[in-house]
Amino acid sequence: QQALNRGIAAVKEDAVEMLASYGLAYSLMKFFTGPMSDFKNVGLVFVNSKRDRTKAVLCMVVAGAVAAIFHTLIAYSDLGYYIINKLHHVDESVGSKTRRAFLYLAAFPFMDAMAWTHAGILLKHKYSFLVGCASISDVIAQVVFVAILLHSHLECREPLLIPILSLYMGALVRCTTLCLGYYRNIHDAIPDRSGPEMGGEATIRKMLSFWWPLALILATQRISRPIVNLFVSRDLGGSSAATEAVAILTATYPVGHMPYGWLTEIRAVYPAFDKNNPSNKLVNTNSTVTATHIKKFTFVCMALSLTV
């Protein structure tokens, strides 16, 4: 995120306004994509066969399409004008740039959903190194493309596309890495259908019933940043000071998120090693990880976080 912000901050003219517009659009987009990341847990728990994987992908295709529709509505309809311009009290220039950036980000939830679904399946089969490599590749791709696009004509024609295109390229690299990892390591090793010994075949209803409480929690967490942006912008009356304050929040928020980001990942550890989970019988492993080991590992992560 810092690299993406750098792509906006490098603009010679209206850098603060651009950063504020991108920050507003990005925080709203993260609110829509937040619930998608929890579908990693659906892949981790429910996907035991090719048929289960097809159902999980179908759910995420629909969710991505719904998110894209909301993006388009906010970009073009009076609803978006009310949410961005009226509710935030921003001026016409910032509002139009924010809605345009939000439209450009419409396809990102779909790519993010596909990546997280396959990440959960890979984690289930203990391919966490591959998932980590995909995430690191995402970051590297974003940084590289920001550097490349800063030397292109986009800086003058459409500066908002510098971080957005870089974000898409990173997501494309991550999604491609995870999908190829799934097809190479898992697809041929799992059955076409789940038998009773693996807990039975999962249904879309079961997946959604498991997913929505987790998605609601993460959506509640992700809505905090748009709310902060809203109160800051309204409190300063949509003035240039408000634009500057939102730009500062955009630049500093990723740094504040670093020490506690591990909390959202620690949830995947227990389901992957729980011996009472029938689906884990699919994986042949000599691991002796117990609940006590996981608790100790969590405390070590917390100590490192507090040190940071």
Side-chain angles (χ1 to χ4, degrees):
Q1 289 186 40
Q2 290 288 43
L4 298 178
N5 293 340
R6 176 68 178 85
I8 284 288
V11 179
K12 296 178 181 179
E13 297 180 3
D14 300 327
V16 173
E17 188 176 294
M18 287 288 185
L19 190 58
S21 300
Y22 173 72
L24 288 174
Y26 184 81
S27 63
L28 285 173
M29 183 272 293
K30 293 297 284 185
F31 167 67
F32 283 107
T33 58
M36 308 291 186
S37 63
D38 262 324
F39 223 78
K40 170 183 65 179
N41 298 303
V42 173
L44 186 63
V45 175
F46 284 103
V47 177
N48 301 313
S49 65
K50 296 181 180 70
R51 188 176 176 85
D52 292 339
R53 182 249 179 185
T54 301
K55 293 176 182 178
V57 169
L58 179 62
C59 290
M60 286 296 92
V61 168
V62 174
V66 171
I69 290 171
F70 273 107
H71 276 248
T72 306
L73 286 175
I74 290 176
Y76 284 118
S77 69
D78 292 337
L79 173 65
Y81 183 83
Y82 174 78
I83 292 175
I84 303 299
N85 293 64
K86 296 297 184 181
L87 209 57
H88 286 79
H89 285 183
V90 296
D91 59 39
E92 187 63 33
S93 178
V94 174
S96 62
K97 288 184 176 68
T98 301
R99 296 197 307 277
R100 192 163 70 247
F102 202 63
L103 178 65
Y104 292 154
L105 292 166
F108 184 82
F110 171 77
M111 298 178 65
D112 198 50
M114 290 298 102
W116 281 118
T117 302
H118 290 90
I121 301 172
L122 288 166
L123 289 173
K124 182 186 188 70
H125 294 264
K126 311 297 188 295
Y127 288 101
S128 57
F129 181 76
L130 184 57
V131 175
C133 287
S135 297
I136 293 172
S137 299
D138 182 354
V139 174
I140 293 173
Q142 290 183 35
V143 173
V144 169
F145 273 91
V146 165
I148 292 173
L149 294 176
L150 280 175
H151 293 86
S152 68
H153 296 296
L154 286 177
E155 184 177 349
C156 300
R157 294 180 179 178
E158 183 58 288
L160 283 171
L161 285 177
I162 294 176
I164 292 172
L165 288 178
S166 301
L167 187 69
Y168 274 118
M169 293 308 300
L172 180 63
V173 169
R174 176 163 56 99
C175 190
T176 302
T177 303
L178 293 172
C179 289
L180 289 177
Y182 163 79
Y183 278 106
R184 182 175 181 180
N185 299 297
I186 299 173
H187 187 73
D188 294 331
I190 59 177
D192 293 332
R193 291 175 176 267
S194 301
E197 69 279 1
M198 291 183 290
E201 189 171 306
T203 63
I204 292 177
R205 183 175 181 178
K206 284 182 180 179
M207 291 180 181
L208 295 178
S209 297
F210 177 80
W211 171 66
W212 79 260
L214 301 175
L216 182 62
I217 293 170
L218 200 53
T220 305
Q221 293 174 347
R222 292 287 178 88
I223 197 64
S224 61
R225 185 180 170 189
I227 288 175
V228 169
N229 288 338
L230 173 65
F231 279 110
V232 167
S233 183
R234 286 180 66 89
D235 187 56
L236 296 174
S239 62
S240 58
T243 302
E244 185 175 336
V246 173
I248 291 170
L249 285 172
T250 302
T252 56
Y253 184 84
V255 180
H257 178 73
M258 287 173 60
Y260 66 88
W262 63 276
L263 281 170
T264 59
E265 302 300 326
I266 202 73
R267 294 175 299 173
V269 175
Y270 185 79
F273 290 97
D274 180 21
K275 301 302 177 185
N276 295 320
N277 187 351
S279 63
N280 278 342
K281 295 178 181 179
L282 188 68
V283 184
N284 294 321
T285 177
N286 296 321
S287 174
T288 56
V289 175
T290 64
T292 303
H293 292 133
I294 294 173
K295 288 178 183 177
K296 291 179 179 178
F297 177 72
T298 303
F299 279 117
V300 170
C301 289
M302 184 176 68
L304 291 172
S305 176
L306 292 173
T307 302
V308 173

